[in-house]
């Protein structure tokens, strides 16, 4: 969205909210709207982050992760992406302990279905490391 690219996050957010309403009211099959719906929700989350609305961002990321996890295996890239986004939102919201716990639990589940050197395991391990980093130390 050009508005987002120009730093007009509030206007971009309004545009994405209107788009989300159209998608949801279109009355089409969920599978037909899954990608546009996910993309619009992702854009809304980015706007919330840019506007500093961290509570809103965190709520969206939790909801998006829960929905993705319910629909896809833990090893599915969509689930990993949603987990990484939630971990990032937790860190942005200064929920470091929760982010650590979430990453550890998710990594434990992921390791059951992937070899240790799998890129998904490595990526989530890096996310866990990020939750452990203390810039004040």
């Amino acid at each position: 969205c050009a508005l987002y690219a120009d730093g007009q996050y509030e206007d971009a957010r309004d545009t994405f909210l209107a788009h989300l309403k159209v998608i949801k009211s279109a009355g089409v099959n969920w599978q037909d709207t899954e990608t546009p719906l996910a993309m619009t929700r992702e854009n809304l989350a980015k706007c919330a982050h840019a506007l500093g609305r961290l509570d809103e961002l965190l709520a969206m990321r939790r909801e998006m992760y829960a929905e993705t996890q319910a629909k896809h295996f833990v090893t599915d890239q969509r689930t990993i992406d949603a987990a990484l986004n939630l971990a990032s939102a937790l860190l942005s919201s200064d929920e470091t302990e929760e982010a650590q716990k979430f990453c550890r639990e998710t990594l434990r589940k992921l390791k059951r279905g992937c070899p240790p050197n799998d890129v998904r395991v490595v990526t989530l391990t890096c996310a866990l490391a990020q939750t452990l980093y203390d810039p004040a130390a």
Side-chain angles (χ1 to χ4, degrees):
C1 177
L3 293 169
Y4 184 87
D6 287 341
Q8 298 176 40
Y9 305 122
E10 196 69 49
D11 292 336
R13 181 180 177 275
D14 292 344
T15 300
F16 292 132
L17 283 171
H19 188 239
L20 187 65
K21 190 174 185 176
V22 168
I23 292 170
K24 287 183 174 183
S25 67
V28 294
N29 183 306
W30 169 254
Q31 287 183 320
D32 296 336
T33 60
E34 183 173 5
T35 300
L37 181 62
M39 289 173 59
T40 302
R41 291 174 73 197
E42 181 63 31
N43 288 332
L44 277 168
K46 288 177 181 178
C47 286
H49 189 262
L51 290 166
R53 296 179 179 179
L54 300 180
D55 290 341
E56 187 179 323
L57 170 68
L58 191 53
M60 283 191 278
R61 292 297 188 200
R62 287 182 199 276
E63 182 180 322
M64 292 162 73
Y65 175 73
E67 290 174 5
T68 303
Q69 184 184 32
K71 292 169 83 175
H72 306 287
F73 290 113
V74 70
T75 56
D76 187 291
Q77 191 61 50
R78 291 167 287 198
T79 306
I80 302 302
D81 290 344
L84 291 169
N85 287 335
L86 176 53
S88 178
L90 286 165
L91 286 174
S92 293
S93 301
D94 291 326
E95 299 289 343
T96 307
E97 288 181 22
E98 186 178 349
Q100 289 171 2
K101 182 180 176 186
F102 173 74
C103 285
R104 283 188 175 113
E105 289 172 359
T106 305
L107 192 56
R108 192 175 313 114
K109 292 175 192 174
L110 183 60
K111 284 182 176 179
R112 288 187 214 137
C114 296
N117 60 347
D118 186 278
V119 68
R120 294 164 291 188
V121 173
V122 173
T123 303
L124 199 53
T125 301
C126 289
L128 175 59
Q130 194 175 16
T131 69
L132 299 171
Y133 174 70
D134 182 2

